[in-house]
Amino acid sequence: MRNLFLFLWMTVAIHAVERPNIILIMVDDMGRDWVSCYGAKHQTPNIDQLAREGVRYETAWSMPICTPTRVTLLTGQYPCHHGWVQHYDVPRRGGVGLRPDHFITFARHLRNAGYATAIGGKWQVNHLGKQPDILTHHGFDEHCVWPGAEADNPETIERFWNGLIATNGNRAKAVYGPDTINRFLIDFIQRNKDRPFLVYYPMLLTHGPYAATPLNETNPPEGKSALYAGNVTYMDHLIGKLVSAVDELRLAKQTIIIFTGDNGSACSGVLDGKPYPKGKGRKADWGVHVPFIVRAPFLTKGDIVSLDLIDFTDIYPTFLELAGIPSRKNLKLDGRSFVPSLRGSEDPF
């Protein structure tokens, strides 16, 4: 009887939210060994709250390094198919970058279906200085991003304090870049609260160079590991601000929030009471085994730990299913939607 009740509740919930808002948060260079709900020593209360209200996946996998992960996420294809098999900073090293005539990102699909779309954070897979409209071509109505360190523009090197941030085509120095981006995304959500929206939030934190944050700038910690820990704390703080904005607008029940990381940690953490090797760039478990938390009140009541297998190719088809967008025959996607898993299927695939 209990299973029947849950099934009916899930059925009613999913039909009540035909096109949910979608927020994808991806922290930079931080694995499970810095997230307390996974057993890390370091405390991340806002991420933990998402886990209590949603599903915490124990077997989620990224690529071992930055740009292969990001292109996999955007295209829904493995590196062997999209071709980005190693890290490559287009602004720094040159090249064509991610081509909209070759790949249709999930943002383009959602925008074409009527979603308001925004990106806030980091974009390294095109040279925004030479292609100022490329984010629009990739499907984003609005953007607030650090463009990446451009080889021909020394002003773009800094990403945190006094960093150069491009906001809808206009470049300006920010007091603290992560704050500027977070405020922009909250404003975007507030302005688009009455229509379905997509927010893609590839965060600047916790990537180096490690520096003090607004929470500890008056008494900055000493040493790389301590500075990194402070960056993790501030990253968690910014996530809390964004989630609070969603909840205060009474959008929680119609919004899916996904939190994950692009690869393993750049600084070794402590997991289950034991030192955990830093994994960035490594093909071993600690390089590709990442946190993955989903809060979707219209699909799950939360406080669930799942062993269902997730990898980054699954995100794109999940978004299409949530938005009710049929996949085109010529759209090559390697993953599968994990909506059945969120609904509680014991055999989701």
Side-chain angles (χ1 to χ4, degrees), residues 261-316:
D262 66 340
N263 46 245
S265 301
C267 282
S268 299
V270 176
L271 189 65
D272 297 327
K274 300 178 181 178
Y276 196 80
K278 60 182 180 180
K280 179 179 179 178
R282 304 188 67 177
K283 298 175 184 177
D285 182 90
W286 47 84
V288 296
H289 193 176
V290 292
F292 201 94
I293 295 168
V294 183
R295 190 184 85 169
F298 56 93
L299 289 171
T300 173
K301 287 189 173 182
D303 201 18
I304 295 171
V305 177
S306 175
L307 296 177
D308 291 344
L309 179 64
I310 299 286
D311 75 41
F312 273 40
T313 65
D314 298 326
I315 294 173
Y316 197 138

Side-chain angles (χ1 to χ4, degrees), residues 51-192:
R52 285 192 296 271
E53 296 173 353
V55 180
R56 172 166 59 87
Y57 284 92
E58 289 289 336
T59 53
W61 309 93
S62 68
M63 305 304 122
I65 199 70
C66 181
T67 48
T69 287
R70 292 164 194 269
V71 177
T72 295
L73 185 155
L74 288 163
T75 65
Q77 297 181 10
Y78 290 121
C80 61
H81 291 150
H82 61 60
W84 294 64
V85 295
Q86 60 185 4
H87 179 67
Y88 191 88
D89 273 352
V90 175
R92 189 190 301 272
R93 301 179 184 177
V96 176
L98 187 64
R99 294 178 56 174
D101 58 335
H102 283 192
F103 300 100
I104 302 175
T105 68
F106 61 75
R108 276 174 66 186
H109 264 299
L110 267 65
R111 186 183 64 187
N112 291 343
Y115 273 69
T117 59
I119 176 174
K122 182 172 82 169
W123 187 269
Q124 293 176 292
V125 294
N126 292 101
H127 193 310
L128 299 185
K130 296 179 179 179
Q131 298 176 291
D133 298 327
I134 195 66
L135 289 172
T136 300
H137 293 304
H138 280 309
F140 296 102
D141 294 321
E142 299 189 35
H143 65 267
C144 182
V145 299
W146 174 63
E150 298 171 353
D152 52 350
N153 187 356
E155 285 190 331
T156 59
I157 293 176
E158 179 55 54
R159 71 184 76 185
F160 299 120
W161 293 102
N162 202 35
L164 189 69
I165 301 295
T167 304
N168 293 336
N170 299 312
R171 294 187 169 202
K173 291 293 185 70
V175 175
Y176 187 69
D179 279 347
T180 298
I181 291 166
N182 190 266
R183 286 194 299 267
F184 168 85
L185 291 177
I186 291 173
D187 176 70
F188 174 84
I189 291 170
Q190 291 169 340
R191 288 186 285 109
N192 291 279

Side-chain angles (χ1 to χ4, degrees), residues 313-331:
T313 65
D314 298 326
I315 294 173
Y316 197 138
T318 299
F319 288 175
L320 294 185
E321 180 172 353
L322 288 169
I325 302 171
S327 180
R328 300 177 184 176
K329 292 183 179 180
N330 61 345
L331 183 65

